Amino acid sequence: MECENMRNRLFYLFIVGLAIICMAGGLLLFPGDAYGEPQSQEEGQKSVDSGAAVQIAAPHGVLMEAATGKIIFEKEKDVQVSPASITKIMTLILIFDALEDGKITMEEEVSTSAYAKSMGGSQVFLEEGEKQTVETLIKCIVIASGNDASVVMAERIGGSEEAFVQMMNQRAEELGMKNTHFEDCCGLTESKNHYSSAYDVALMSRELVVRYPKILEYSSVWMDTITHVTKRGSSEFGLTNTNKLIRSYDGCVGLKTGSTSIAKYCVSTVAVRNGITLIGVVMTAPDYKVRFADAAAMLNYGFGKCNMFVDEHKEKLKKTPVTGTIEGSVSCKFSETFYYLDTEGKSMDDMKKEIHMKKTLKAPIKAGDVTGKAVYLLDGKEVGSVEIVAAEDVAASGYWDYLKYICMQMVLREK
């Protein structure tokens, strides 16, 4: 009898142990994916495909969806390599930062220094003392990859290229570019301490095109001209886009190419189709044909795989009650547009949206304070959310405020 009891206990322990192992295995085998958690820049760091469905010849590449930051394809994305003229993407970010902050304007004329004139490589042949508008210099940088134009703007914004490069590195750190360090503003340097990675290039490309979409007005231009006005008179100079995909790939609107003997051939390309913006980064390709072919292959793969759900929140939210104030309530709004990128062929028609608001709020309230959230469900699982915030300030009311309010109401009634 004891033997049988022992066997029963052992069998019971075996079943319990097996159940625990299965539960643990379930956690390991079926981790929370994009459908279980909201997509974010951190979520974007998870690769949907490591290369089984698309192949590229270049040793490093990344395909990222711009709105969500989600990575669709990757190949050695974090390896530090020379970025060549793709460096100028960060230079352009700082230029547009300065424009947004009102430190410069598009119409402002900037003078070319002797140092800026001395730049080799890709240039638009600015003369010392020559003045061009900020807008013209942006065109020179993004269309013709002008090293001289880049230095002109670096000196205008930073005071010197060295100071500007410090700003570049600080901005890179803020963007989470962990495998990047800049030593010049144009990528002409051959220093081993000037490096980036395919993923970091995608990060800064995303920052530029999402935060400053106006850049696409310039990066999508195939040919343009500028006018040099110097002591020798005026002359026209043609700008031709270094990104051949502008003409050959449907939907391509940018962004930047680069090549040096160390970096080989690089490209960060941006294409838009059916409301989806993809960023394809290729680094250290053996020649220019490979970089463009690889970028096109990644983009084709992405557009064939991606389906985007966008909610711009066109419905009007009800006011939320507020205590401690004569106002009585506060207007609310959605904090941002909601984006969800599907790569598994799910139907976006099944997406459901639930509004969860706080029942009451207490004054004082500042515009931007969280008052609730919108939760999105696909197949019954939460896939993301957007905060709902106060649209205005609501001050707390004291005794005299209430007394004044009562008096005003009495006056209005008498009228």
Side-chain angles (χ1 to χ4, degrees):
M1 189 71 172
E2 278 187 3
C3 240
E4 181 155 352
N5 287 338
M6 180 63 73
R7 280 199 301 273
N8 288 339
R9 283 197 210 97
L10 289 172
F11 179 75
Y12 175 78
L13 289 171
F14 171 76
I15 295 299
V16 171
L18 184 62
I20 292 171
I21 290 170
C22 289
M23 290 173 65
L27 291 172
L28 293 171
L29 292 173
F30 304 102
D33 57 9
Y35 300 112
E37 297 293 337
Q39 289 172 300
S40 64
Q41 185 164 309
E42 288 71 26
E43 181 69 23
Q45 295 178 23
K46 297 178 183 177
S47 175
V48 173
D49 194 307
S50 61
V54 62
Q55 298 292 330
I56 63 173
H60 315 102
V62 161
L63 181 65
M64 176 185 285
E65 192 282 316
T68 61
K70 185 172 184 177
I71 295 177
I72 303 160
F73 168 85
E74 67 170 73
K75 181 180 180 182
E76 300 293 338
K77 70 181 177 68
D78 295 318
V79 176
Q80 297 175 359
V81 294
S82 175
S85 284
I86 288 182
T87 297
K88 295 183 178 80
I89 294 173
M90 182 58 76
T91 297
L92 289 163
I93 289 174
L94 292 182
I95 291 172
F96 278 89
D97 283 347
L99 285 164
E100 184 179 60
D101 295 340
K103 295 177 180 177
I104 58 174
T105 65
M106 284 288 193
E107 299 75 26
E108 179 186 340
E109 291 188 333
V110 187
S111 183
T112 303
S113 69
Y115 174 66
K117 177 188 181 300
S118 71
M119 293 296 106
S122 299
Q123 54 186 308
V124 293
F125 302 99
L126 298 171
E127 292 291 333
E128 182 180 355
E130 179 180 346
K131 292 183 178 180
Q132 295 288 356
T133 65
V134 168
E135 183 172 35
T136 297
L137 291 167
I138 289 173
K139 291 179 182 179
C140 292
I141 295 168
V142 73
I143 299 173
S145 196
N147 295 324
D148 45 2
S150 298
V151 174
V152 171
M153 287 307 304
E155 291 177 333
R156 168 62 185 88
I157 295 170
S160 68
E161 185 185 18
E162 182 180 3
F164 185 82
V165 170
Q166 291 178 1
M167 295 168 63
M168 293 171 69
N169 285 317
Q170 182 179 345
R171 195 71 160 82
E173 186 178 349
E174 291 169 358
L175 289 175
M177 296 168 61
K178 297 178 181 179
N179 291 293
T180 297
H181 184 266
F182 298 114
E183 289 212 337
D184 74 4
C185 67
C186 55
L188 189 60
T189 180
E190 294 186 351
S191 170
K192 291 182 180 179
N193 289 322
H194 186 93
Y195 55 82
S196 189
S197 68
Y199 178 68
D200 283 1
V201 170
L203 279 182
M204 66 177 177
S205 299
R206 181 190 182 214
E207 174 73 0
L208 181 59
V209 301
V210 173
R211 184 164 181 172
Y212 303 117
K214 187 173 178 63
I215 188 63
L216 300 177
E217 296 177 16
Y218 305 110
S219 63
S220 59
V221 172
W222 174 240
M223 296 185 77
D224 203 344
T225 59
I226 64 169
T227 302
H228 288 299
V229 179
T230 66
K231 294 177 181 178
R232 295 194 298 271
S234 64
S235 61
E236 285 196 345
F237 182 81
L239 308 177
T240 302
N241 205 314
T242 56
N243 184 3
K244 308 304 178 187
L245 291 174
I246 293 295
R247 287 203 306 176
S248 64
Y249 191 86
D250 181 31
C252 183
V253 289
L255 178 63
K256 193 72 195 70
T257 63
S259 64
T260 64
S261 58
I262 295 175
K264 297 184 181 179
Y265 292 84
C266 318
V267 65
S268 176
T269 189
V270 177
V272 182
R273 290 184 187 175
N274 301 320
I276 296 174
T277 301
L278 297 180
I279 299 168
V281 178
V282 176
M283 306 289 281
T284 44
D287 59 56
Y288 73 92
K289 291 181 180 179
V290 169
R291 73 176 170 189
F292 292 136
D294 283 351
M298 287 194 297
L299 292 172
N300 286 337
Y301 173 68
F303 284 124
K305 194 175 182 69
C306 293
N307 186 21
M308 180 72 79
F309 174 84
V310 182
D311 184 8
E312 296 179 344
H313 315 295
K314 293 184 178 180
E315 72 270 37
K316 190 174 181 179
L317 291 167
K318 293 180 180 179
K319 288 189 172 185
T320 300
V322 181
T323 62
T325 177
I326 57 175
E327 299 293 335
S329 62
V330 63
S331 298
C332 299
K333 64 179 182 179
F334 297 94
S335 60
E336 59 186 343
T337 300
F338 176 75
Y339 298 93
Y340 179 74
L341 183 70
D342 170 65
T343 56
E344 303 297 331
K346 294 277 186 178
S347 172
M348 296 296 101
D349 293 337
D350 297 329
M351 185 74 76
K352 298 189 183 305
K353 177 180 179 180
E354 295 179 353
I355 302 296
H356 301 281
M357 300 295 293
K358 294 180 180 179
K359 291 183 179 180
T360 57
L361 302 167
K362 186 176 181 180
I365 294 170
K366 291 188 176 293
D369 285 353
V370 177
T371 60
K373 69 176 180 176
V375 175
Y376 295 84
L377 304 169
L378 188 62
D379 294 340
K381 295 180 180 179
E382 182 178 338
V383 296
S385 63
V386 169
E387 287 184 340
I388 297 172
V389 299
E392 59 203 0
D393 292 341
V394 177
S397 299
Y399 172 79
W400 292 108
D401 295 310
Y402 283 106
L403 184 60
K404 182 180 178 181
Y405 175 77
I406 292 170
C407 291
M408 287 181 65
Q409 292 300 311
M410 291 175 66
V411 170
L412 289 172
R413 284 175 187 169
E414 288 179 1
K415 288 182 178 180

